[in-house]
């Protein structure tokens, strides 16, 4: 499964006067290595397959429950975003829309003080990625013959779209035109198995989705410089970590335009 860095979570990036609102438009570039990580500890539980176990010919040792999976870490290269940011007294909130290997929308809530800000975010991401998988389908007819009929067959399938919920937080410290920003955005990949050729829901999907894919955590550390009231440039590093081995570093940079 291609596993992309999640979009960056951003607050105001500097002190914002109370009871004001503005729009921020950004273009960002991400560059990073395309590493592969073997997933560990995944096992099919075979829940919802009682019809199989009713066969006298069924033997649990015939069902290989260990999942052999790989994440291919990737960065989306180019990202564009549009943010609406509003502050009421101490509290800041905003909504964000981004084109980031698909379509991303999020809501953030935090506090914005004279020298720092902190907050959290909840989002939804429909992204395009290659997801190829293969395995074995098991079937049983308990009324066939004396002991029933227990059959298995191999399959290969693929899917190119994932819809996931993201959640995370951000923190920034700033002084004058300079800012230092850190954020974390987390999601769990969803395979979204397609329907069978006849349009029905896949028994395969209900079976092998009994396990959870390992969490993907994307971290961003950036430094920003506010050129003037409207323009800001940013440069920093990103990192993909999670419930799998290794740290997968990349570089990130961008430019933003703020309306007054």
């Amino acid at each position: 499964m291609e596993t992309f860095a999640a979009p960056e979570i951003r607050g105001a990036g500097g002190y914002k006067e109370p009871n004001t609102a503005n729009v921020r438009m950004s273009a960002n570039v991400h560059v990073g290595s395309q590493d592969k990580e073997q997933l560990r500890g995944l096992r099919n539980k075979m829940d919802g397959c009682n019809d199989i176990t009713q066969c006298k010919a069924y033997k649990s040792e015939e069902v290989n429950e260990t999942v052999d999976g790989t994440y291919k870490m990737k960065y989306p290269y180019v990202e564009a975003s549009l943010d609406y940011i509003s502050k009421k007294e101490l509290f800041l909130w905003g909504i964000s829309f981004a084109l980031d290997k698909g379509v991303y929308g999020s809501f953030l809530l935090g506090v914005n003080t004279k020298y720092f800000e902190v907050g959290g975010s909840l989002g939804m991401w429909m992204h395009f990625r290659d997801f190829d998988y293969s395995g074995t389908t098991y079937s049983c007819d308990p009324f066939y013959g004396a002991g029933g009929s227990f059959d298995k067959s191999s399959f290969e399938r693929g899917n190119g779209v994932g819809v996931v919920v993201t959640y995370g937080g951000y923190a920034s410290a700033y002084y004058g035109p300079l800012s230092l920003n850190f954020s974390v955005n987390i999601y769990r990949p969803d395979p979204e198995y397609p329907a069978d050729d006849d349009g029905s829901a896949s028994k395969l999907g209900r079976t092998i989705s009994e396990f959870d894919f390992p969490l993907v955590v994307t971290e961003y550390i950036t430094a920003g410089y506010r050129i003037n009231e409207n323009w800001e440039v940013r440069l920093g590093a990103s990192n993909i970590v999670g419930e799998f081995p290794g740290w997968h570093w990349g570089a990130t940079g961008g430019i933003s335009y703020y309306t007054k």
Side-chain angles (χ1 to χ4, degrees):
M1 179 190 294
E2 287 185 329
T3 308
F4 288 93
E8 183 181 6
I9 299 173
R10 297 177 61 190
Y15 176 66
K16 187 171 179 58
E17 293 291 340
N19 304 311
T20 61
N22 66 320
V23 173
R24 176 176 61 207
M25 294 171 283
S26 302
N28 304 295
V29 176
H30 309 289
V31 180
S33 59
Q34 297 185 11
D35 303 326
K36 291 184 178 180
E37 288 292 353
Q38 189 79 14
L39 305 182
R40 308 292 183 185
L42 299 183
R43 293 181 63 82
N44 288 318
K45 297 178 181 179
M46 299 301 292
D47 292 343
C49 298
N50 294 329
D51 57 330
I52 293 178
T53 59
Q54 290 174 7
C55 273
K56 293 181 180 179
Y58 166 79
K59 296 180 182 179
S60 60
E61 59 269 20
E62 291 187 20
V63 180
N64 182 6
E65 295 184 347
T66 300
V67 179
D68 179 15
T70 301
Y71 278 175
K72 183 178 181 181
M73 312 299 172
K74 299 188 75 174
Y75 286 88
Y77 303 117
V78 179
E79 169 199 355
S81 63
L82 177 68
D83 309 312
Y84 175 81
I85 305 168
S86 178
K87 182 178 177 182
K88 301 295 182 182
E89 302 302 333
L90 182 65
F91 293 96
L92 179 141
W93 68 274
I95 54 176
S96 176
F97 298 95
L99 298 177
D100 192 333
K101 204 51 185 172
V103 180
Y104 180 72
S106 65
F107 173 80
L108 69 86
L109 182 66
V111 295
N112 180 270
T113 72
K114 189 173 182 179
Y115 296 110
F116 73 91
E117 64 178 353
V118 62
S121 175
L122 181 67
M124 182 168 287
W125 187 21
M126 182 183 73
H127 62 297
F128 301 93
R129 82 294 187 250
D130 289 332
F131 173 42
D132 301 314
Y133 59 102
S134 61
T136 304
T137 299
Y138 300 92
S139 61
C140 168
D141 183 357
F143 304 106
Y144 181 85
S149 173
F150 179 68
D151 299 315
K152 55 184 179 181
S153 58
S154 299
F155 67 87
E156 291 186 5
R157 298 188 184 182
N159 193 19
V161 179
V163 179
V164 297
V165 173
T166 68
Y167 57 94
Y170 67 91
S172 299
Y174 33 81
Y175 183 78
L178 301 174
S179 65
L180 183 63
N181 315 282
F182 175 77
S183 75
V184 175
N185 206 2
I186 304 169
Y187 72 95
R188 189 184 297 278
D190 182 355
E192 293 207 349
Y193 303 101
D196 291 332
D197 294 336
D198 61 1
S200 62
S202 172
K203 287 185 178 180
L204 164 69
R206 290 198 300 271
T207 300
I208 65 176
S209 63
E210 291 297 334
F211 59 82
D212 290 325
F213 281 85
L215 286 172
V216 179
V217 180
T218 308
E219 301 174 327
Y220 290 90
I221 304 174
T222 62
Y225 178 74
R226 197 72 172 259
I227 300 173
N228 53 39
E229 243 183 3
N230 298 112
W231 293 97
E232 178 191 39
V233 292
R234 302 165 61 252
L235 188 64
S238 54
N239 183 26
I240 304 176
V241 294
E243 296 177 334
F244 45 84
W247 291 36
H248 307 276
W249 288 97
T252 182
I255 185 168
S256 298
Y257 176 83
Y258 294 78
T259 62
K260 295 182 180 179

